[in-house]
Amino acid sequence: MTEDVYHQIERYADGLMDREEASDFEARLAQEPELMESLKHYRNTRDALRAGAFQAEKHRIRQLDQPQTRMNSQMLVRIAAVLVIGFPILMFLLLQRPTGAELAEEYFEPYPDRVTTMAAESTTWEKAMSAYNREAYTQALEELNTLEKQRIGDAGLVTLYSSICLLALDSCEQALPKLQSLSAQSSNLSEAAQWYAILAALECDKTGDAMQMLEQYLNQPEVKFNRSKAEELLEALN
Amino acid sequence: MLKVLSPSDHQLIDMIKKGGAGEERAIRHLLKRNGEMIKTFIRKNNGSAEEAEEVLYDAITSMLFNIRSGKFEGQSSLSTYLFAIAKRRWYKVFAKRTNHEQQHQDWSETLEQHEAFEDRSLVQAETGSILADLLARLHQGCREVITFWSQHYSMDEIAKAMGYKNSQVAMNKKSNCFKQLLMMVNDNPQLRATLAELRYT
């Protein structure tokens, strides 16, 4: 199925065609059995997905309808159990290991702005960094993408800041390869890139990879950037 | 003492569209405000307590989907709309149970204006789990977009939730991701055949 045919099927099945376009498409459907088959395939998959979503939502609503008093009494029972059984369980709860994503969030701090001096936003770089400094990461990412396309400024810095924006926007899958590629280049940014790659791996629930990367990171004697944090993080993961 | 004000329909719609804890509060509020009335109606019309509960949850789910997708245009109050959906759903279940197809048809025609919602349930639950496995093979961004889409969120809401520039970006993403899913289903002839045989109630 070509891209064009797929988009036509999608637009028709999702009700995005106007009447005239839909009517033309229906005429084609009547004459092209393969097209009709592709449309059925689209609809069958979509409808099965949506039916699954319907059941999941219904289940959630059923749970929300459980009387609050029942929940409160359950909570009271839990509190009472903790009080009765005491300190060891409380300690167990307190010492429960956080998830990779929680650790990534805990250790994430945006890389400092090494580009601008918070001056007027006259260039794309300044606009990007101004947004970055305000933690407006979506906007910063857009500006950084423009810089990347126009090949303006230090390509390494653009990659680093855009990856950090992606990480902050929970798009670790996109951030991780960019950061790994930057880490592999021997530049003054590779330390920082390695650190954020570790956080991206954690965010993506690739804890094993993150630990391996952390060990490699700490095995480099010259590494200074966030060294103590990295040691602390490795200990938390162990 | 502060008076606790009930949220307006407009506020409830907003809470549902935004999702999260606000949406849960809105759902609880709607259940509290309308649940008993709907269940009583069904019980008085030959339904059991269990059937009344099922229909209520089906109706709320349909309403959520229609609010998210923008199919609900606010031409009636939320309570009226929910009640109409529940009534229609009950007539459908009742007609099926008693095999009074003609009666069902008459009621359906009367309530045609509320046709917009989709009240479907999977006949074969295992297909849902196969689809979930396929979804799990997509990368996280794709999985999220397709999940939002299957939950009937509008492209605007998906764009907001995913941090995309606009709804067109969300639309393109959904399009590419769903195409990937279709290709995976296509590579699994047995699943493709099962999906083709599924019927929704």
Side-chain angles (χ1 to χ4, degrees), chain A residues 110-116 125 128-129 132-133 137 140-141 144 154-167 178-179 182 189:
Chain A
Y111 189 66
D113 179 355
R114 286 179 41 188
V115 182
T116 63
W125 251 124
M129 294 318 292
Y132 178 89
N133 290 325
Y137 294 116
L141 191 59
L144 287 161
D154 181 332
L157 273 175
V158 172
T159 304
L160 180 65
Y161 284 115
S162 59
S163 307
I164 293 168
C165 289
L166 286 166
L167 189 55
K178 286 171 94 136
L179 288 163
L182 188 57
L189 297 173

Side-chain angles (χ1 to χ4, degrees), chain B residues 11-54:
Chain B
Q11 287 168 321
L12 288 168
I13 290 167
D14 204 40
M15 286 155 89
I16 289 167
K17 282 186 174 171
K18 283 182 181 158
E23 186 199 39
E24 290 188 356
R25 279 201 304 280
I27 293 169
R28 283 205 177 95
H29 181 80
L30 287 164
L31 282 163
K32 195 175 167 188
R33 192 171 75 181
N34 305 287
E36 218 31 66
M37 184 176 67
I38 289 172
K39 285 195 276 190
T40 305
F41 168 81
I42 292 159
R43 283 195 303 266
K44 279 188 179 170
N45 284 277
N46 305 309
S48 67
E50 291 74 24
E51 284 170 325
E53 208 162 66
E54 288 301 310

Side-chain angles (χ1 to χ4, degrees), chain B:
Chain B
M1 203 173 106
L2 284 172
K3 189 180 173 191
V4 180
L5 294 172
S6 289
S8 65
D9 276 7
H10 183 74
Q11 287 168 321
L12 288 168
I13 290 167
D14 204 40
M15 286 155 89
I16 289 167
K17 282 186 174 171
K18 283 182 181 158
E23 186 199 39
E24 290 188 356
R25 279 201 304 280
I27 293 169
R28 283 205 177 95
H29 181 80
L30 287 164
L31 282 163
K32 195 175 167 188
R33 192 171 75 181
N34 305 287
E36 218 31 66
M37 184 176 67
I38 289 172
K39 285 195 276 190
T40 305
F41 168 81
I42 292 159
R43 283 195 303 266
K44 279 188 179 170
N45 284 277
N46 305 309
S48 67
E50 291 74 24
E51 284 170 325
E53 208 162 66
E54 288 301 310
V55 168
L56 171 65
Y57 299 146
D58 278 343
I60 298 242
T61 309
S62 299
M63 191 181 71
L64 284 189
F65 281 5
N66 289 343
I67 289 174
R68 285 175 189 166
S69 65
K71 279 180 188 165
F72 173 68
E73 291 169 345
Q75 284 159 336
S76 65
S77 74
L78 282 180
S79 294
T80 306
Y81 187 61
L82 180 62
F83 196 75
I85 294 175
K87 266 207 298 195
R88 187 183 182 280
R89 176 74 187 159
W90 171 239
Y91 292 150
K92 199 171 175 180
V93 172
F94 183 69
K96 205 173 172 184
R97 198 178 77 182
T98 55
N99 208 15
H100 288 170
E101 287 301 335
Q102 187 53 47
Q103 187 181 16
H104 169 229
Q105 212 172 356
D106 292 343
W107 276 326
S108 294
E109 280 164 16
T110 315
L111 293 158
E112 196 62 34
Q113 56 188 317
H114 300 292
E115 187 67 48
F117 73 94
E118 294 171 52
D119 52 346
R120 293 167 165 179
S121 53
L122 264 186
V123 171
Q124 285 168 281
E126 68 271 21
T127 309
S129 81
I130 297 168
L131 276 169
D133 289 344
L134 289 177
L135 266 179
R137 283 194 234 163
L138 294 174
H139 73 74
Q140 195 183 334
C142 261
R143 212 160 51 226
E144 285 176 10
V145 167
I146 295 296
T147 304
F148 280 131
W149 179 63
S150 67
Q151 292 170 341
H152 295 253
Y153 281 100
S154 68
M155 289 299 160
D156 269 343
E157 293 297 329
I158 296 175
K160 276 183 212 159
M162 299 295 292
Y164 297 149
K165 192 177 170 184
N166 54 39
S167 61
Q168 189 54 51
V169 177
M171 183 67 202
N172 295 343
K173 186 85 179 169
K174 173 254 144 186
S175 188
N176 291 333
C177 296
F178 191 65
K179 193 176 182 187
Q180 287 176 36
L181 189 72
L182 284 178
M183 283 158 73
M184 284 195 262
V185 174
N186 211 26
D187 290 342
N188 185 337
Q190 199 182 344
L191 175 63
R192 188 173 169 161
T194 311
L195 292 181
E197 285 164 13
L198 281 180
R199 294 288 175 270
Y200 304 97
T201 57

Side-chain angles (χ1 to χ4, degrees), chain A:
Chain A
M1 184 177 14
T2 66
E3 197 72 11
D4 191 38
V5 170
Y6 171 71
H7 285 302
Q8 284 178 328
I9 289 172
E10 180 182 46
R11 283 170 44 70
Y12 178 75
D14 293 345
L16 302 172
M17 283 184 175
D18 60 34
R19 197 173 290 179
E20 196 182 342
E21 202 182 352
S23 163
D24 290 348
F25 189 76
E26 278 158 11
R28 275 186 64 197
L29 281 172
Q31 288 173 348
E32 298 176 35
E34 264 187 37
L35 186 64
M36 176 60 93
E37 197 50 42
S38 299
L39 173 67
K40 282 182 187 167
H41 179 41
Y42 184 98
R43 282 178 167 161
N44 292 339
T45 309
R46 179 198 63 188
D47 291 351
L49 262 181
R50 289 191 159 169
F54 188 96
Q55 289 307 311
E57 284 292 73
K58 187 176 163 184
H59 179 67
R60 185 170 71 100
I61 290 163
R62 187 191 302 280
Q63 287 182 325
L64 288 173
D65 199 26
Q66 298 310 304
Q68 296 280 299
T69 48
R70 199 182 299 170
M71 228 168 74
N72 290 340
S73 63
Q74 278 175 1
M75 278 169 74
L76 282 173
V77 170
R78 276 185 210 152
I79 292 165
V82 169
L83 289 173
V84 170
I85 301 166
F87 192 64
I89 288 182
L90 192 60
M91 283 306 290
F92 170 76
L93 289 172
L94 288 173
L95 293 173
Q96 269 200 328
R97 186 176 289 195
T99 65
E102 284 167 348
L103 280 171
E105 199 177 328
E106 191 184 329
Y107 282 83
F108 175 79
E109 262 180 47
Y111 189 66
D113 179 355
R114 286 179 41 188
V115 182
T116 63
T117 51
M118 310 287 282
E121 297 177 19
S122 54
T123 67
T124 311
W125 251 124
E126 281 159 351
K127 281 182 193 164
M129 294 318 292
S130 166
Y132 178 89
N133 290 325
R134 283 183 278 115
E135 298 185 359
Y137 294 116
T138 308
Q139 192 194 336
L141 191 59
E142 280 168 31
E143 300 290 346
L144 287 161
N145 286 341
T146 307
L147 287 171
E148 195 174 6
K149 275 181 206 149
Q150 295 174 352
R151 296 169 188 263
I152 298 171
D154 181 332
L157 273 175
V158 172
T159 304
L160 180 65
Y161 284 115
S162 59
S163 307
I164 293 168
C165 289
L166 286 166
L167 189 55
L169 292 167
D170 294 329
S171 295
C172 57
E173 290 95 347
Q174 290 175 59
L176 186 56
K178 286 171 94 136
L179 288 163
Q180 281 175 322
S181 154
L182 188 57
S183 309
Q185 297 163 18
S186 53
S187 76
N188 58 346
L189 297 173
S190 66
E191 268 185 44
Q194 282 177 61
W195 169 249
Y196 287 104
I198 292 163
L199 296 183
L202 277 176
E203 180 74 48
C204 284
D205 277 327
K206 295 177 177 168
T207 311
D209 291 354
M211 284 176 76
Q212 205 177 348
M213 286 155 73
L214 258 175
E215 274 162 6
Q216 282 169 3
Y217 185 73
L218 289 168
N219 279 338
Q220 304 166 91
E222 70 280 9
V223 161
K224 288 181 186 150
F225 181 75
N226 279 348
R227 186 173 193 95
S228 56
K229 273 192 175 182
E231 286 165 349
E232 206 180 289
L233 181 56
L234 186 60
E235 207 176 309
L237 287 167
N238 279 323

